[in-house]
Amino acid sequence: MNNCYPFVNTPLPYAYNALEPYIDEKTMRLHHDKHLQTYIDGLNKLLKSQPALQSCSLQTLLANWNHLPVSLRNNAGGVYNHRFFFDSLTPCPKDFQPAISTDNKILPAIEKQFCGFDRFCSLWKESALSVFGSGYVWLVCECGMLKIITTANQNVPDLCLQTPLLNLDVWEHTYYLKHYNMRTDYIDDWFHLINWDVVNNRYRAQNSKRTE
Ligand code: MN3
């Protein structure tokens, strides 16, 4: 993935219509080609006049969140959050509960932390509905503990403290064309698209970093 200035809007890892019927093709085209593109253009424009930051990866920029001007936060966050969101979806929806296999570490961790997978899903939904206005819900790992958190607008989790594992964009542009004002229906549909292999790999990667 292109991760330094100048940022490029890399293609989605699946076709625009691959997430039908849960997320429609038109929404995916607008979301990736217009919304994400706007953040990429905005970020490149801001970095053009800041040569010292041009070699920084997106993660490095965002790890210095407190030192960034608001415009840079919004655009860098917009790129990071959207890429993370798109990469967390799969065109081959299975049962939304991750399959149990020997290398699946995330399901037992979720079940343990949240007292069952169903309870995790209901807490997730509750959090997603609690975001006032625009923002995201995240599953993060902090000091070995799983947590569900929310962020407003294009804010990101504290990348110095938390490893993001999964996110859900609840800005209205993600669902308004298909689900109108019904965020709850969008969340139910989104559950069918989670790429648990990706989430599991992120969890395993941070676990191995912790035990190094
Ligand atoms: Mn969005």
Side-chain angles (χ1 to χ4, degrees), residues 31 35 82 136 154 169 171 173-174:
H31 203 180
H35 290 276
H82 279 103
Y136 291 79
Q154 293 300 353
D169 183 344
W171 284 59
H173 63 241
T174 60

